[in-house]
Amino acid sequence: EKLVRERRKSLDVLPFVKQIDTVAGEFPADTNANYLYLTYNASFDDIKPSDNPVAVLGSGVYRIGSSVEFDYCGVMCLRNLHSLGHKTVMINSNPETVSTDYDESDRLYFEELSLERILDICDKETPSGVVVSVGGQISQNLAMPLQLSSVNVLGTDPLMIN
């Protein structure tokens, strides 16, 4: 995965950030560029990078008995980061969660929770750190690979998670 990513980047094959038009084209979407996704089918970003945000990884797809509590943790994390004056970026692939409500984070990426996709978002947003501990097992499994990729993992040291 690392070699493919490096090769892709060396060839300048990079994704662009696009905004989901939540008003169906009735008038220009001006929702502070909140609903976002990455695509290779573009030639420019719809938005400018955030100013030193903190990224939070969500729980991804729902699994019976294991996702609602992680969504609650993600929401509480976002709200506490806001109360401390931080800009936030939520990365989650599940639109049926409170953490993916338009007003819970400054930026929301509807993306898979994979190392490559999170690194691509980190390349775009340059967060001061990424919180993995509130997203459940999928997010926590990414802690060590993120740290090895020079991403600042906030909270529990990835060595202690593994």
Side-chain angles (χ1 to χ4, degrees), residues 84-112:
L84 295 170
H86 295 283
K87 296 287 185 185
T88 58
V89 173
M90 170 56 82
I91 305 169
N92 200 352
S93 59
N94 190 340
E96 294 299 321
T97 60
V98 176
S99 65
T100 56
D101 284 354
Y102 75 95
D103 58 350
E104 290 296 342
S105 61
D106 296 298
R107 298 272 174 94
L108 170 61
Y109 283 86
F110 282 112
E111 290 291 349
E112 65 179 328

Side-chain angles (χ1 to χ4, degrees), residues 52-65:
N52 202 32
V54 174
V56 177
L57 301 187
S59 58
V61 298
Y62 266 178
R63 288 174 178 80
I64 294 173

Side-chain angles (χ1 to χ4, degrees), residues 21-155:
D21 184 355
T22 58
V23 292
E26 293 178 39
F27 49 87
D30 187 20
T31 57
N32 295 321
N34 207 31
Y35 292 122
L36 307 169
Y37 66 99
L38 297 180
T39 182
Y40 296 100
N41 188 25
S43 55
F44 62 91
D45 292 323
D46 282 352
I47 59 162
K48 292 184 168 127
S50 296
D51 185 26
N52 202 32
V54 174
V56 177
L57 301 187
S59 58
V61 298
Y62 266 178
R63 288 174 178 80
I64 294 173
S66 68
S67 295
V68 175
E69 63 272 18
F70 293 122
D71 186 56
Y72 176 81
C73 292
V75 169
M76 292 298 103
C77 182
L78 290 167
R79 290 179 182 176
N80 280 296
L81 286 166
H82 274 144
S83 74
L84 295 170
H86 295 283
K87 296 287 185 185
T88 58
V89 173
M90 170 56 82
I91 305 169
N92 200 352
S93 59
N94 190 340
E96 294 299 321
T97 60
V98 176
S99 65
T100 56
D101 284 354
Y102 75 95
D103 58 350
E104 290 296 342
S105 61
D106 296 298
R107 298 272 174 94
L108 170 61
Y109 283 86
F110 282 112
E111 290 291 349
E112 65 179 328
L113 296 177
S114 68
L115 180 62
E116 182 171 20
R117 191 52 62 212
I118 293 165
L119 291 175
D120 285 339
I121 293 169
C122 287
D123 287 348
K124 293 288 186 180
E125 296 287 348
T126 62
S128 60
V130 176
V131 176
V132 301
S133 58
V134 297
Q137 197 63 52
I138 294 171
S139 298
Q140 291 184 32
N141 287 346
L142 291 164
M144 186 57 71
L146 286 169
Q147 181 171 297
L148 292 173
S149 299
S150 301
V151 173
N152 182 25
V153 176
L154 301 174

